[in-house]
Amino acid sequence: MEKLVMRDDPSSLSAEAFRTLKINLDFFNVDNNLKTLAITSSNPGEGKSTAIANLAIAFAQSGKRVILIDCDLRRPSVHKKFKISNTHGITDMIVDTELKHDYIHSSKIDNLFILPCGTKPPNPAELLASEKMDMLLEKLKGMCDIVLLDIPPILSVADSRIICGKVDGVILLCAYGQSEKELILKSKQELDKVNAKLIGTILAKVPESQSHYSYYYDDNLNASNRKKNKRHSR
Ligand SMILES: Nc1ncnc2c1ncn2[C@@H]1O[C@H](COP(=O)(O)OP(=O)(O)O)[C@@H](O)[C@H]1O
Ligand SMILES: [Mg+2]
């Protein structure tokens, strides 16, 4: 089973970062209209699937009922992270137009349910763009507090853009030392073209040394704020 920090290393700095991301999303979602959320990025391998799976666990651990759907129909990976069967999944549900409850798996984490990709289709973009997909999403939304969608990179095929245009919120992920500035800007343009609601960005794969730096930097900031406050209170 592939490692997920929220499940396998919950006291790590990375896990703390996912809990903070979830809290920031709660603040963003005061009106409770963020029911479907996806994370995309410019290229494959930048950490989207890992991030959305960790975020799903963060939501579930806070008591929200979560369904995580694998909408990367060309390179599905969510089933590997949770060690579940990928025999049937969202593609089969779209084709059958029926909500098959036994295609939705328990993740062994309370409140978190997984809908894998299922049968690999010859026409992923067509399936994702279909009205049947919209109807299915509506039904899934009714079954939980939030639906998270794992999607492909935005610059390669149309699949990601199709989903980004449908969901309530999109996070654009950039990978430290990997994502190129020009491609990040291009990704933002692609999101704008489909009127995606970009609600934020996250920086993944920050080396430990760098995250320690920011951790201590925050402490120093607090220390200097404390000094300032002391001066003001005199
Ligand atoms: N935050 C991270 N830190 C270090 N490695 C990571 C991180 N996120 C993902 N990876 C690694 O990068 C590779 C690609 O991750 P994945 O989540 O599958 O990317 P994507 O979904 O964008 O293609 C995997 O080997 C994964 O273990
Ligand atoms: Mg992926």
Side-chain angles (χ1 to χ4, degrees):
M1 195 152 44
E2 285 176 25
K3 185 180 166 184
L4 290 173
V5 285
M6 284 300 294
R7 178 188 57 205
D8 306 321
D9 196 3
S11 53
S12 61
L13 276 178
S14 304
E16 193 51 39
F18 281 108
R19 281 189 286 271
T20 306
L21 173 63
K22 184 252 154 208
I23 290 167
N24 287 341
L25 288 167
D26 285 341
F27 278 114
F28 178 84
N29 191 26
V30 275
D31 289 331
N32 233 6
N33 44 19
L34 185 70
K35 293 281 285 181
T36 48
L37 174 69
I39 298 181
T40 194
S41 77
S42 340
N43 277 313
E46 291 178 316
K48 295 175 286 302
S49 301
T50 308
I52 197 96
N54 279 306
L55 183 59
I57 299 174
F59 271 115
Q61 287 180 347
S62 77
K64 291 221 156 116
R65 275 173 71 82
V66 185
I67 299 179
L68 172 61
I69 314 178
D70 197 338
C71 290
D72 190 339
L73 309 186
R74 296 168 202 259
R75 282 193 192 175
S77 67
V78 175
H79 62 284
K80 293 181 201 154
K81 293 184 164 48
F82 292 94
K83 225 180 171 189
I84 56 164
S85 158
N86 190 36
T87 311
H88 298 291
I90 179 122
T91 57
D92 307 282
M93 269 198 208
I94 298 171
V95 173
D96 297 347
T97 359
E98 260 182 70
L99 195 76
K100 296 254 172 64
H101 287 269
D102 44 333
Y103 293 177
I104 303 175
H105 297 255
S106 121
S107 65
K108 300 201 179 89
I109 291 161
D110 284 350
N111 298 318
L112 174 56
F113 302 88
I114 313 288
L115 177 54
C117 161
T119 309
K120 269 199 189 180
N123 54 347
E126 214 176 297
L127 282 194
L128 295 173
S130 67
E131 263 179 47
K132 285 181 179 175
M133 173 69 185
D134 296 353
M135 279 155 52
L136 193 57
L137 257 188
E138 280 308 310
K139 284 186 191 162
L140 292 167
K141 269 156 70 171
M143 290 170 58
C144 63
D145 297 308
I146 189 159
V147 178
L148 300 184
L149 298 92
D150 185 31
I151 58 176
I154 193 129
L155 295 183
S156 46
V157 284
D159 309 16
S160 190
R161 294 191 285 278
I162 292 165
I163 294 291
C164 288
K166 286 185 199 279
V167 290
D168 302 326
V170 176
I171 296 174
L172 181 60
L173 176 144
C174 311
Y176 183 97
Q178 187 178 349
S179 306
E180 291 170 32
K181 189 177 163 190
E182 267 178 31
L183 298 185
I184 297 170
L185 294 174
K186 181 112 204 311
S187 303
K188 164 78 170 72
Q189 287 168 2
E190 292 299 324
L191 288 170
D192 289 343
K193 277 190 206 162
V194 293
N195 288 324
K197 190 160 184 206
L198 179 62
I199 56 174
T201 55
I202 51 179
L203 185 60
K205 304 197 180 188
V206 179
E208 280 278 305
S209 56
Q210 297 296 316
S211 46
H212 273 103
Y213 176 75
S214 64
Y215 180 71
Y216 287 120
Y217 183 62
D218 277 350
D219 268 355
N220 289 336
L221 261 187
N222 286 340
S224 71
N225 279 343
R226 275 198 298 275
K227 267 189 209 157
K228 249 191 247 161
N229 289 343
K230 248 189 184 171
R231 273 203 300 274
H232 286 310
S233 63
R234 268 183 204 150

